[in-house]
Amino acid sequence: MQFNLFYHFGKFLLMIKGMFTRPENGKMYWKEFMHQCVEIGIGSLGIVLIISLFLGAVTTVQTAYQLVSPIIPKATIAQIVRDTMILEMAPTMVCIVLGGVIGSKIASELGNMRVSEQIDALEIMGINTKAYLILPKIMAAIVTIPMLVITAAFLGIWGGKMAGSLSGILSDEEFMQGLRQSFDGYNVFFALAKSYTYSFIISSIPAYYGYYVQGGALEIGRASTTAVVISCILILFADYILAAILL
């Protein structure tokens, strides 16, 4: 088990090293990069909108349920929703979902290309397949996923505001008052640091498992499942490490 871990880690590092070579055709790489930005960013926008709105709404309702003391002002609910969405819900929960959506797509796409020998055909033509197939996906994820996290944080807070207003828990004025109280800009930096780290994990781990898959359709499915599981575990592990270092 230990040697197997070191084997995969070393092979993963060699894959990353193999990506950074001079591109054969810059326009081709740029076109692929923009295509991946659309696939990863715009393609995942719908699920991010739904998840973030309901996460914010549920956080407001559950926080109001727990804060039963009349001493605590209702504006505190908005403060808790704001910090919860920025620190944890938007970056971690959304990226775990994206790890399943984007990770399975990347792993199955590369795995299908490997099994159908499309990658071998590209290598015969002299194309560095690691740079052409994997690097645009990782760069697109690093560019678009932090934007999705920022969008999720805004929508989560807005969803919490709407839930509080519609359910009568607190008024819009009280929510806005709590939203402005004791705001720390460092929380936004922490959320972005997490989102960039998760972006690399979400894109590189499935790319590794998909690129090196062997066998047929059954192995592609197993590689996709393994990639998503490993990505989610590494996201949670990185969540703890970043919180211990940066907070």
Side-chain angles (χ1 to χ4, degrees), residues 17-26 29 126-128 131-132 135:
K17 177 176 176 288
M19 295 189 310
F20 297 100
T21 58
R22 185 177 179 180
E24 296 86 1
N25 187 338
Y29 279 62
I127 296 174
N128 182 358
Y132 177 62
L135 184 60

Side-chain angles (χ1 to χ4, degrees), residues 162-206:
M162 293 300 296
S165 176
L166 293 174
S167 60
I169 294 173
L170 74 169
S171 64
D172 290 344
E173 291 76 16
E174 289 173 324
F175 194 95
M176 294 305 296
Q177 178 189 350
L179 206 59
R180 291 189 292 264
Q181 283 178 355
S182 306
F183 177 71
D184 188 359
Y186 182 78
N187 292 345
V188 178
F189 165 78
F190 179 64
L192 287 175
K194 291 168 76 171
S195 64
Y196 280 110
T197 305
Y198 300 160
S199 302
F200 179 75
I201 293 172
I202 289 170
S203 54
S204 61
I205 300 299

Side-chain angles (χ1 to χ4, degrees), residues 55-104:
L55 280 176
V58 169
T59 305
T60 297
V61 173
Q62 291 189 350
T63 304
Y65 171 74
Q66 291 176 321
L67 292 180
V68 293
S69 174
I71 303 174
I72 302 174
K74 288 186 176 180
T76 309
I77 297 173
Q79 194 174 342
I80 293 173
V81 171
R82 178 199 68 200
D83 291 340
T84 303
M85 286 303 303
I86 293 175
L87 286 173
E88 192 64 25
M89 290 295 185
T92 305
M93 295 300 295
V94 169
C95 283
I96 285 178
V97 174
L98 291 178
V101 175
I102 298 171
S104 60

Side-chain angles (χ1 to χ4, degrees), residues 4 16 20 22 38 50-51 53-54 80 82 99 106 110 120 133 150-151 164 172 184-185 200-201 210 221 238 244:
N4 195 32
I16 298 297
F20 297 100
R22 185 177 179 180
V38 173
I50 296 171
I51 290 171
L53 283 172
F54 282 103
I80 293 173
R82 178 199 68 200
I106 291 175
L110 290 175
D120 298 331
L133 296 176
I150 293 171
T151 304
D172 290 344
D184 188 359
F200 179 75
I201 293 172

Side-chain angles (χ1 to χ4, degrees), residues 210-230:
Y211 186 82
Y212 289 110
V213 72
Q214 293 179 342
L218 185 62
E219 281 72 20
I220 294 175
R222 287 175 179 170
S224 299
T225 304
T226 305
V228 171
V229 171
I230 298 297

